[in-house]
Amino acid sequence: MADQNCLVTNDWICGEYLRSRSHELTEATLQHIWITAVSVLIGLAVAFPLALLARRGKHFAGPVLGLTTVLYTVPSLAMFSLLLPLFGLSAALVVTGLVLYSLTILVRNILAGLQAVPHEAREAARGMGYGPVRLLWEVELPLALPALMAGLRIATVSTVALTTVGSLVGKGGLGNLIEDALPSLFKAQVLTASVLCVLLAVAADLLLLGAQRLLTPWTRIRRPAAASAGAGIAKTEAG
């Protein structure tokens, strides 16, 4: 009875809301995950060739970085309005907008990672007969992974938050629940949807962090080695 009364009294925390609206919450969460995942993956696929183009020289880097930065500064309402004639009120409208927003983060981080690859590593690979494509995939890209994954994590968390804006066209996942609840200030729905958004962002970041650690095992080896070297130096000085 107490759980049912929390709906009547419009409490922020309400177990009955979770029980009675579980299907609605699950559906909104899955839509949120789907839109976020598709947007980030497409954004990564578009950002990679743009980063390769930008690193060819300042004549390419300026326009590419400038365009992606300008796109990021466009307000979401204006962005969706500009895309509306092309996609209508559909999920494609939201995904396209989110892809454009993700480019400034992904392109810059991929470019930074590729530029940070040591010149000696490139020269050694060329000396072993590596061509441009093999050099990119087997040498440069693995060494650029830490920066790339850092950008991917930022872009994913940002996209989880921006997906809620898709509620403007009815394709915002958990944002739909928040928008529906605000006019009547349905507290349990506002709080639950907001908390789920935060949990999705944290879960996505942790998953990508775990993937980063698996893909870049050498970054974990350096720290113990550096610590051992520091301890050895200190011991020598003490002796």
Side-chain angles (χ1 to χ4, degrees):
M1 179 65 83
D3 284 343
Q4 293 178 355
N5 287 337
C6 68
L7 286 175
V8 177
T9 56
N10 195 24
D11 294 337
W12 285 103
I13 300 175
C14 183
E16 178 61 20
Y17 170 77
L18 296 175
R19 189 194 65 78
S20 61
R21 304 291 181 90
S22 59
H23 177 73
E24 185 179 355
L25 287 168
T26 301
E27 191 175 83
T29 302
L30 291 176
Q31 184 187 67
H32 205 107
I33 293 172
W34 178 81
I35 291 175
T36 298
V38 170
S39 301
V40 172
L41 289 175
I42 295 176
L44 185 60
V46 175
F48 189 71
L50 287 177
L52 293 180
L53 177 64
R55 78 162 179 167
R56 295 178 67 88
K58 294 182 179 179
H59 295 296
F60 295 102
V64 170
L65 296 178
L67 177 60
T68 56
T69 301
V70 168
L71 289 172
Y72 195 77
T73 62
V74 177
S76 55
L77 183 59
M79 178 71 79
F80 289 162
S81 298
L82 291 172
L83 296 173
L84 186 59
L86 296 175
F87 299 100
L89 297 175
S90 65
L93 169 66
V94 180
V95 169
T96 303
L98 294 176
V99 168
L100 295 177
Y101 282 133
S102 71
L103 291 181
T104 185
I105 300 171
L106 293 173
V107 170
R108 288 178 181 274
N109 277 269
I110 295 172
L111 180 60
L114 292 173
Q115 290 176 336
V117 174
H119 179 70
E120 295 80 4
R122 291 193 180 95
E123 289 303 312
R126 291 192 184 101
M128 295 173 63
Y130 281 46
V133 176
R134 190 181 178 192
L135 174 64
L136 173 64
W137 289 103
E138 295 187 17
V139 178
E140 294 179 316
L141 191 56
L143 292 176
L145 267 179
L148 188 157
M149 291 299 296
L152 186 61
R153 288 170 61 193
I154 296 171
T156 301
V157 172
S158 176
T159 302
V160 170
L162 286 172
T163 297
T164 58
V165 183
S167 60
L168 292 170
V169 295
K171 302 293 181 179
L174 294 166
N176 294 339
L177 299 182
I178 296 174
E179 185 179 33
D180 292 343
L182 284 177
S184 61
L185 191 57
F186 188 179
K187 296 178 181 178
Q189 183 159 309
V190 171
L191 180 62
T192 303
S194 300
V195 169
L196 285 174
C197 282
V198 173
L199 292 177
L200 282 181
V202 172
D205 189 54
L206 290 176
L207 284 173
L208 289 173
L209 178 60
Q212 179 180 340
R213 289 175 64 84
L214 288 174
L215 293 172
T216 58
W218 61 88
T219 60
R220 303 196 301 276
I221 297 173
R222 289 176 184 171
R223 293 192 187 95
S228 298
I233 293 171
K235 185 177 180 179
T236 302
E237 290 177 350

